[in-house]
Amino acid sequence: MSSEQRPSKLTLAAVAEEVGVSAPTVSKVVNGRQDVAEATRARVLAALQRTGYKSPLQRKSIPEHRAVEVVFDSLNSAYGVEVLNGVMEHAAASEMEVILSITGRQAASPLGPEERAQRMIDEGRAGMIVVTSAFGSAQLEAFHRRQIPIVVIDPLNPPPADVFSVGASNWAGGKAAASHLLELGHRRIAYIGGPSTAECSQARLHGYMAALMAEGITVDDDYVSSGPFKPENGVRGMKALLALEDPPTAIFAGSDSIALGVLAEARRQNIRIPEDMSLVGFDGTHQAEESVPPLTSVSQPLQEMGRSALRFIIRQVRGEEIDSRRVELATHLVVRESTGQPRVSNLALPRVSTATAAAAVGVSATMAG
């Protein structure tokens, strides 16, 4: 059900229509009357929970919306901490509390979508900010029925058009990273990205591809991989790239965390950064500044992303008209010490994919004929 289709106010009549009973019957259940068949009572109670209906007495007991819940799949990266800092800074200025939830497998909530949404109402929370996590249609629908504001930041699956979202110019950032390496003279440039389904990771990949294709360089499938935004993905990707017949001279990592994994594996294999291979990260976290060597990285305004998400929540709670449901903030490249010109011995022609080579052979054969 879209936001335009949802009723502005839930009523007993609406609940009665959904269950297929009279409004007085629903009223009896709400008021605890006993003269209702148990089967009918169970159906009405289930509908009340699904719709989030509250009696006037219950509504008066709901606390004022002075808290927002912020949900992370995990909070073990500098990216998440920076976003959270932005949320908390704006929350303090707005006299709001922040409730932190971690939804990783080991800390998954036992509550289903309906129960979780109902808890938000019962505890008077203003809304929910979901950061780099997947969210299901059932959860969104449960929130929509109860008119609970929700904002997503860099979601792992594309959000519906009516969901408010905050992100950065990932495509432009990916293009800037690859263009920087191209300007240094690199031609064999690999991309170790985040989850293949993550919208932000896809945008960074497409920006990287656009920069290479603009220079007439074929993007080799062996040079592109995906995985979680974690160092172990960088380790795994680096191992695979170094095992190639023609390893890249530069790597664009889809996050600073991935880049740290690349750096760790480079040290284990005695690969010097940037003398033997250049490396660019993405996020611009304090980890990029403190790594050895300091990491060239595409910087995102992570704290401002957190602040913007909370502003969206507050404006929805106030009932304000909001023209756009998407905020996209600018990225910029910060050049540090992990990138440099490729060694002369590494300046080979870029690899051509099997499909491209086969097509070229076919064209040559046709011309010869």
Side-chain angles (χ1 to χ4, degrees):
M1 182 184 296
S2 68
S3 57
E4 290 76 11
Q5 294 172 313
R6 292 192 299 274
S8 59
K9 184 177 180 181
L10 290 167
T11 64
L12 287 179
V15 175
E17 182 179 356
E18 177 174 328
V19 180
V21 299
S22 67
T25 298
V26 176
S27 179
K28 290 178 181 179
V29 174
V30 169
N31 291 292
R33 294 268 297 273
Q34 299 301 312
D35 52 338
V36 179
E38 284 304 315
T40 302
R41 181 188 305 279
R43 287 163 48 216
V44 171
L45 289 173
L48 290 170
Q49 184 182 52
R50 285 197 304 274
T51 59
Y53 176 83
K54 288 287 185 180
S55 70
L57 182 61
Q58 288 173 305
R59 291 187 195 118
K60 289 178 183 178
S61 68
I62 295 175
E64 187 180 1
H65 293 153
R66 302 309 304 170
V68 63
E69 184 170 345
V70 186
V71 179
F72 292 85
D73 181 58
S74 64
L75 193 58
N76 56 2
S77 69
Y79 170 99
V81 171
E82 288 295 303
V83 171
L84 181 60
N85 283 339
V87 173
M88 295 184 69
E89 177 188 291
H90 193 61
S94 306
E95 297 184 345
M96 294 190 72
E97 295 181 4
V98 175
I99 309 298
L100 180 62
S101 294
I102 307 296
T103 61
R105 291 182 179 180
Q106 294 181 347
S109 171
L111 300 177
E114 298 293 339
E115 292 80 9
R116 190 170 192 188
Q118 191 59 50
R119 187 190 67 178
M120 294 282 291
I121 289 181
D122 294 341
E123 297 182 359
R125 296 182 186 177
M128 178 180 286
I129 299 172
V130 181
V131 187
T132 61
S133 299
F135 51 92
S137 58
Q139 183 71 75
L140 288 175
E141 191 63 26
F143 274 53
H144 284 169
R145 279 197 296 273
R146 293 164 175 81
Q147 301 175 33
I148 301 170
I150 184 169
V151 178
V152 298
I153 298 178
D154 278 346
L156 297 187
N157 53 339
D162 62 345
V163 172
F164 290 87
S165 63
V166 176
S169 52
N170 291 292
W171 186 91
K175 188 173 186 293
S179 295
H180 169 64
L181 294 169
L182 288 166
E183 289 166 3
L184 289 172
H186 294 276
R187 292 299 178 267
R188 302 202 307 274
I189 304 170
Y191 174 68
I192 305 176
S196 59
T197 56
E199 195 173 53
C200 58
S201 186
Q202 283 291 319
R204 294 166 197 174
L205 169 62
H206 294 158
Y208 150 87
M209 293 174 65
L212 267 62
M213 293 171 68
E215 294 295 319
I217 298 175
T218 300
V219 178
D220 194 317
D221 292 343
D222 289 341
Y223 282 178
V224 177
S225 63
S226 61
F229 288 118
K230 295 180 179 180
E232 51 263 38
N233 182 28
V235 171
R236 183 170 54 250
M238 181 64 158
K239 287 180 178 178
L241 291 170
L242 292 177
L244 296 174
E245 181 180 350
D246 293 317
T249 64
I251 295 175
F252 167 36
S255 74
D256 288 348
S257 290
I258 294 173
L260 291 179
V262 173
L263 279 173
E265 185 60 24
R267 283 192 291 270
R268 280 191 285 268
Q269 301 211 29
N270 295 317
I271 303 295
R272 298 173 300 165
I273 305 292
E275 292 83 358
D276 301 323
M277 182 179 290
S278 286
L279 176 63
V280 178
F282 200 108
D283 286 335
T285 62
H286 65 84
Q287 291 177 318
E289 300 178 52
E290 297 168 359
S291 66
V292 180
L295 185 65
T296 295
S297 181
V298 177
S299 179
Q300 298 191 82
L302 298 176
Q303 292 196 21
E304 181 56 29
M305 288 162 65
R307 288 189 288 267
S308 294
L310 184 53
R311 290 191 197 104
F312 261 148
I313 295 288
I314 293 173
R315 293 185 65 188
Q316 289 180 78
V317 169
R318 291 173 177 169
E320 296 181 15
E321 290 292 330
I322 305 176
D323 295 333
S324 175
R325 293 177 179 269
R326 168 72 177 175
V327 168
E328 187 168 286
L329 303 172
T331 56
H332 66 280
L333 181 72
V334 179
V335 179
R336 297 191 180 93
E337 298 172 26
S338 66
T339 52
Q341 294 181 340
R343 293 188 304 170
V344 175
S345 60
N346 282 340
L347 292 177
L349 292 174
R351 298 181 70 195
V352 179
S353 67
T354 303
T356 304
V361 171
V363 171
S364 299
T366 302
M367 293 178 64

